[in-house]
Amino acid sequence: MNFKKINFLLLAVMFVSLSSCNKDEMDQIHEEPTSAKKQVRELSDTELQKISDLHLNANEVKYESFTLPGGESEMRILIEGDIAMTPQQLKEMKPLRIDSKQYRTYNLVSSPRTINVIGYTGTGYGQNLSAKQRNALQAAVANYNSLNIGLNFTLTFGTNISPYDIVVFQEPNGEAGGVAGFPSNGNPYKYVQIFSGMENYSTATNQHVITHEIGHTLGMRHTDWDTRASCGQSGEAAGNDGAVHIPGTPYGYDSNSIMLACFGANEDGNFGYYDTVAFDYLY
């Protein structure tokens, strides 16, 4: 999942969209796309400053066209490889103060409510989920329903995406990972792309990636956003705003979190203990 993509634990500071990286040189997968899509324009200084204020990496940003289910294209700002948002959503994001390493943002989903998810099966444009991805999506939705929080998830498969809160579909780019975004106006981010290269990995690893990306749609940020330790990177410097620690979660590196920026080749697809603590606190 290229996830270069706030009490998340307050575990997810801002709900936008993410991917994963190599935890070690041999068996880890970077959670961000390896090949960039066409960049249509440069971002303005104001937009770049807002991204920086939110403590996302303003040096890894593109403004590009995303193909949605059915072939329609819309422009999105792609941040850190797996967090997507429209310019308007970026404008509406509110920074928080930083207290530690597990984070959320103000952008949460209204609760209690039912979140209706659809796995896209349309055969045009190569966007239909594979059998493996459909099984992984079922397991990912089961992950969230097992939390017993203020969000209940339903799942169906089909092509009529309009009535649904979250649409999960394949991006036929041959890469490993996915892209999603953060909530807005109390609603989850609608589109979750799962890259077609995930077909090379187990159902459990696909479950991990899909669960991770849905976490973004609910407002979770990468657990190690400030260090990107799971990717073997230095991460971003902490600042005066952008993230709030979630009570009951660790201040240090949580190797079991499903919201780490990068994922391994042999993930089990399940939440870590403190992931469940974070969601329980938030919802």
Side-chain angles (χ1 to χ4, degrees):
M1 305 183 246
N2 261 341
F3 299 146
K4 283 182 176 183
K5 283 134 225 334
I6 303 186
N7 215 311
F8 169 60
L9 295 152
L10 290 189
L11 226 190
V13 174
M14 303 174 319
F15 308 17
V16 204
S17 79
L18 310 134
S19 46
S20 307
C21 291
N22 296 345
K23 291 179 184 175
D24 46 57
E25 295 291 329
M26 300 302 293
D27 65 355
Q28 301 294 328
I29 312 302
H30 197 286
E31 293 197 33
E32 300 174 39
T34 55
S35 61
K37 299 175 184 175
K38 182 179 180 181
Q39 183 173 349
V40 174
R41 71 161 171 84
E42 297 292 332
L43 276 75
S44 69
D45 290 343
T46 299
E47 289 170 326
L48 291 173
Q49 184 60 54
K50 181 63 179 288
I51 290 168
S52 180
D53 289 344
L54 292 169
H55 287 278
L56 292 166
N57 192 341
N59 294 318
E60 298 190 37
V61 178
K62 295 179 291 183
Y63 187 71
E64 61 187 29
S65 177
F66 279 74
T67 301
L68 303 180
E72 180 184 358
S73 294
E74 291 185 4
M75 299 308 301
R76 293 284 191 275
I77 299 169
L78 181 64
I79 307 170
E80 300 180 2
D82 83 327
I83 300 172
M85 63 181 80
T86 65
Q88 183 61 34
Q89 287 169 332
L90 174 63
K91 189 179 299 185
E92 293 170 353
M93 292 291 295
K94 298 179 181 180
L96 302 177
R97 295 203 55 87
I98 290 178
D99 293 325
S100 76
K101 298 204 174 187
Q102 305 281 2
Y103 312 92
R104 70 156 174 92
T105 61
Y106 285 124
N107 299 63
L108 292 173
V109 174
S110 299
S111 173
R113 65 176 291 182
T114 295
I115 306 294
N116 297 309
V117 182
I118 184 170
Y120 188 69
T121 59
T123 56
Y125 307 97
Q127 296 173 307
N128 54 300
L129 296 177
S130 69
K132 180 183 293 183
Q133 291 166 343
R134 292 196 299 272
N135 289 334
L137 175 56
Q138 290 175 320
V141 168
N143 278 346
Y144 283 98
N145 281 328
S146 71
L147 294 174
N148 294 316
I149 54 177
L151 301 176
N152 178 60
F153 291 77
T154 70
L155 173 63
T156 190
F157 293 94
T159 59
N160 181 19
I161 66 176
S162 298
Y164 292 90
D165 300 299
I166 298 176
V167 181
V168 183
F169 64 104
Q170 182 170 228
E171 170 64 19
N173 58 9
E175 298 168 4
V179 170
F182 297 146
S184 60
N185 300 315
N187 298 311
Y189 187 84
K190 182 159 185 164
Y191 297 105
V192 173
Q193 292 182 329
I194 301 302
F195 299 157
S196 58
M198 290 306 302
E199 198 64 14
N200 298 319
Y201 301 95
S202 68
T203 300
T205 299
N206 276 261
Q207 175 188 347
H208 175 100
V209 171
I210 295 173
T211 301
H212 176 113
E213 297 300 347
I214 291 177
H216 285 312
T217 74
L218 304 179
M220 302 307 291
R221 188 171 178 175
H222 293 144
T223 305
D224 58 339
W225 70 273
D226 59 336
T227 66
R228 294 186 67 79
S230 63
C231 311
Q233 299 176 2
S234 59
E236 309 163 33
N240 293 324
D241 53 19
V244 175
H245 176 247
I246 298 175
T249 66
Y251 283 85
Y253 181 72
D254 179 7
S255 62
N256 295 315
S257 175
I258 207 162
M259 294 306 299
L260 289 172
C262 291
F263 68 95
N266 297 297
E267 300 287 358
D268 64 14
N270 299 319
F271 288 120
Y273 172 75
Y274 290 109
D275 295 339
T276 65
V277 170
F279 276 109
D280 185 65
Y281 183 90
L282 294 179
Y283 292 104

